[in-house]
Amino acid sequence: MDFKAGHLLGLEYVDAEDIGLILNTTKSFREILERPIKKVPTLQGMTVVNLFFEPSTRTRISFELAEKRLSADAVNFSSSTSSVKKGETLLDTARNIEAMKIDMVVIRHSSPGAPMFLSRMLDAHIINAGDGAHEHPTQALLDMRTILDHHATLDGLTVGIIGDIAHSRVALSNIHGLKKMGARVIICGPSTLIPVEIEKLGVEVNYNIDEVIPQVDVLNILRIQLERQDSGLFPSLREYHNYFGITRERLEKATKPITIMHPGPINRGVEISSDVADSEHSVILSQVTNGVAVRMAVLYLLAGGSENVSD
Ligand code: CP
């Protein structure tokens, strides 16, 4: 199951050629978003349902904006105000929505594999907006697009990913995408938050952030999920900050400027200090801006569009 099959389920299933196609097409949509009138008729007549079973700010809003700027009809579903509360299953929910003649489903769900399940059961195009600790492919695509705004190529670049790798769909999608595009990836965090045998994905592991910083061009800093602070996986948020928090003092050990990224939401003073998050090297808000253009590119290409965007 891959991008060419009409779904975006994870970057594990997308080849380097298609990742390059999405990243290039994103540039065309970014130009459209810089115009005074940001709307094009590209997906007029298509209906996209945003099926969110988990909270989201960035992903849900940027998918909705992307759909509206492509002139698609966008419908938002939130499990907390739906018949899921009455016990309706995911499959019944999705089949009922499909019966209303929709074309695409964007889904965020706590269960890994939920988007793949829907892709097998429905005729609609399925886009994974985050499935449990599995993948978050559009996040990794917007991360790669943002890196390319600051570095000529991903090939040969060294990217550090730091934090709770074991529970992070952002990390897994970034690893698949970056490795396919030729980057060197170093994983860093407490050993309790790094999956065993992750090296099999072609990444290096280093448990000491002060050894990682001098090696990287880019640091992608993951959110420490506050709900895990009582799990025993690390002693305390203060200790996490002391050992792994990215601060100006730590970054001064870098041999070159490092591009600082974070998928959001940020825990200021835990995984990243406020002055780093707001520093001249931070591209965190550019990631959010690129999120709309990346999602426009994905919707457009899944609907059958070609690299040469015309409006
Ligand atoms: N980065 C990200 O997925 O953010 P949201 O959970 O707010 O969508």
Side-chain angles (χ1 to χ4, degrees), residues 170-220:
V170 175
L172 195 54
S173 285
N174 264 279
I175 290 168
H176 286 306
L178 288 166
K179 289 304 299 175
K180 285 180 185 184
M181 301 310 281
R184 174 186 175 213
V185 178
I186 307 177
I187 295 300
C188 182
S191 57
T192 46
L193 297 179
I194 307 256
V196 286
E197 301 197 334
I198 195 162
E199 292 93 337
K200 286 188 174 164
L201 295 179
V203 300
E204 297 165 41
V205 177
N206 190 320
Y207 301 106
N208 184 343
I209 186 61
D210 295 311
E211 289 177 11
V212 173
I213 284 173
Q215 301 182 59
V216 299
D217 302 289
V218 177
L219 257 188
N220 199 347

Side-chain angles (χ1 to χ4, degrees), residues 20 252 255:
E252 274 162 15
T255 50

Side-chain angles (χ1 to χ4, degrees), residues 289-309:
T289 304
N290 277 329
V292 179
V294 157
R295 286 162 181 135
M296 286 174 84
V298 167
L299 291 160
Y300 163 81
L301 291 167
L302 287 179
S306 65
E307 188 171 354
N308 300 316
V309 179

Side-chain angles (χ1 to χ4, degrees), residues 1 5-7 9 49 51 53 89-107 114-127:
M1 186 68 70
H7 307 290
L9 305 178
V49 178
L51 212 54
F53 290 84
T89 65
L90 168 64
L91 183 55
D92 280 335
T93 302
R95 278 189 170 146
N96 276 269
I97 290 170
E98 190 178 52
M100 299 180 211
K101 306 292 176 202
I102 52 98
D103 301 289
M104 296 194 192
V105 173
V106 175
I107 176 169
M116 186 169 284
F117 172 67
L118 287 193
S119 75
R120 290 178 177 151
M121 306 307 287
L122 305 183
D123 290 330
H125 301 285
I126 307 295
I127 302 173

